[in-house]
């Protein structure tokens, strides 16, 4: 009798370019946790080693561009990738290397979280890196996910007499080449966190979320990776943004203080029951955002 072995389909695979964070609050470790939680298989090309904890970043040590390229090319030649996710790149050379790599896969969605500083304000990307990002990566970006300060810094112009509005920043970033821009309001002084998704048509959706007490280490990494995971799973950009915000808000609501600094989002909140009798929640069972 003939017998055959059926190989189960592989989960969606997402290649992450990001720096390592020993605390696993942010960086490539946060991306891995998030993508795994959402049913994806994460692939990684480490761009920098950092010395940091939940309090702040002490130092950043970029990996050579040659080694970043070798990491990425090796897995890309072996494994199909449904989406790219980019975080801290560490150097101008790494920006150029990653831009060249992703240009060989123009049909693969690219989600870019332009981490320019840590939550404490530690510098992670200087002006040369920002200039290279504008010229080399934004034209290849499917979705850019800056917070408001990052959006203003990326979109700033010598002609600005004051601080440009978020709407103006989004328009400029789209003119630089990003297809979509999701500007998050975590750093704004508003009662609620307001996240706004833009395209060439203007505002697509504006979502409001309860502003939770405390500050979090890795919320931006979590959101961008969750979007990448949802898109890799077949969701449209708008649906991915909606579902990823929902997931991220729940990770923050269930966040924990693992050290002496910021809270860490719990990317596997759904696997833990609230009490002995409660059933574990599913990843999508989060409070839905209100469309404005």
């Amino acid at each position: 009798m003939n017998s055959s072995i059926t190989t189960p389909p592989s989960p969606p695979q997402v290649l992450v370019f990001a720096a390592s964070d020993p605390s696993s609050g942010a960086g490539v470790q946060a991306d891995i946790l998030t993508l795994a939680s959402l049913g994806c298989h994460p692939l990684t090309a480490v761009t920098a080693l950092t010395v940091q904890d939940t309090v702040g970043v002490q130092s950043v040590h970029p990996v050579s561009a040659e080694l970043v390229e070798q990491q990425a090319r090796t897995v890309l030649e072996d494994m199909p990738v449904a989406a790219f996710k980019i975080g801290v790149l560490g150097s101008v050379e790494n920006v150029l290397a990653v831009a060249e790599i992703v240009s060989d896969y123009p049909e693969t969605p690219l989600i870019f979280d332009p981490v320019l500083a840590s939550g404490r304000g530690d510098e992670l990307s200087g002006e040369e890196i920002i200039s290279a990002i504008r010229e080399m990566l934004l034209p290849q970006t499917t979705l850019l996910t800056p917070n408001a300060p990052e959006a203003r810094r990326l979109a700033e112009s010598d002609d600005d007499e004051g601080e440009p509005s978020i709407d103006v920043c989004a328009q400029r970033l789209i003119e630089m080449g990003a297809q979509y821009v999701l500007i998050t309001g975590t750093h704004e002084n508003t009662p609620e966190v307001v996240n706004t998704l833009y395209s060439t048509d203007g505002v697509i959706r504006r979502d409001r979320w309860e502003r939770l007490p405390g500050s979090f280490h890795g919320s931006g990494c979590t959101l961008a990776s969750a979007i990448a995971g949802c898109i890799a799973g077949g969701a449209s950009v708008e649906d991915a943004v909606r579902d990823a915000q929902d997931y991220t808000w729940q990770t923050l609501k269930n966040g924990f203080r693992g050290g002496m600094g910021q809270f860490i989002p719990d990317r596997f909140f759904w696997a833990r029951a609230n009490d002995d009798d409660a059933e574990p929640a599913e990843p999508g069972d989060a409070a839905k955002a209100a469309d404005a």
Side-chain angles (χ1 to χ4, degrees):
M1 186 173 68
N2 293 330
S3 62
S4 61
I5 299 175
T6 302
T7 303
S10 64
Q13 298 179 148
V14 178
L15 176 55
V16 175
F17 297 90
S20 173
D21 172 7
S23 78
S24 292
V28 70
Q29 289 89 339
D31 299 324
I32 291 170
L33 288 166
T34 300
L35 290 166
S37 175
L38 294 176
C40 294
H41 180 68
L43 314 174
T44 62
V46 176
T47 58
L49 302 178
T50 70
V51 178
Q52 65 175 299
D53 53 19
T54 60
V55 177
V57 178
Q58 297 181 33
S59 59
V60 179
H61 308 272
V63 171
S64 72
E66 180 182 4
L67 188 51
V68 171
E69 182 173 5
Q70 288 176 356
Q71 293 176 78
R73 296 285 190 194
T74 299
V75 293
L76 284 167
E77 290 172 5
D78 177 50
M79 309 171 79
V81 169
F84 293 115
K85 188 270 180 178
I86 299 176
V88 169
L89 292 177
S91 69
V92 172
E93 292 78 12
N94 285 351
V95 174
L96 301 179
V98 172
E100 183 176 351
I101 292 165
V102 298
S103 70
D104 291 337
Y105 302 86
E107 302 304 317
T108 302
L110 190 161
I111 293 77
F112 186 13
D113 178 22
V115 185
L116 306 184
S118 72
R120 188 177 66 175
D122 306 295
E123 183 84 2
L124 295 174
S125 299
E127 289 305 319
E128 289 186 358
I129 293 177
I130 291 173
S131 178
I133 286 171
R134 291 187 187 118
E135 294 179 21
M136 304 302 297
L137 278 176
L138 289 191
Q140 302 188 70
T141 297
T142 306
L143 173 65
L144 186 72
T145 63
N147 58 38
E150 289 166 343
R152 292 189 177 101
R153 191 170 174 193
L154 282 169
E156 65 185 357
S157 168
D158 293 337
D159 297 330
D160 290 335
E161 295 183 358
E163 191 174 78
S165 70
I166 294 302
D167 290 344
V168 169
C169 291
Q171 180 181 357
R172 289 178 182 175
L173 293 169
I174 288 171
E175 289 172 353
M176 291 178 193
Q179 295 178 38
Y180 296 88
V181 177
L182 174 66
I183 299 182
T184 63
T186 52
H187 289 66
E188 298 294 270
N189 186 23
T190 54
E192 297 175 303
V193 175
V194 182
N195 300 335
T196 309
L197 178 64
Y198 300 84
S199 74
T200 53
D201 296 325
V203 175
I204 297 180
R205 62 181 297 121
R206 183 171 281 121
D207 299 309
R208 292 178 168 84
W209 301 91
E210 177 189 351
R211 186 175 292 278
L212 298 169
S215 61
F216 297 88
H217 183 48
S219 58
C221 302
T222 304
L223 176 59
S225 287
I227 294 171
C230 291
I231 289 176
S236 67
V237 169
E238 185 173 354
D239 287 348
V241 166
R242 178 198 64 207
D243 293 346
Q245 288 182 83
D246 182 42
Y247 166 83
T248 301
W249 189 85
Q250 282 286 13
T251 70
L252 303 181
K253 181 183 178 183
N254 292 279
F256 59 94
R257 199 173 187 209
M260 294 182 289
Q262 295 176 301
F263 285 83
I264 294 176
D266 185 0
R267 285 93 181 186
F268 281 88
F269 67 87
W270 54 266
R272 287 177 256 281
N274 292 326
D275 54 58
D276 292 339
D277 298 322
E279 292 294 327
E282 294 298 323
D285 289 346
K288 298 299 181 183
D291 294 338

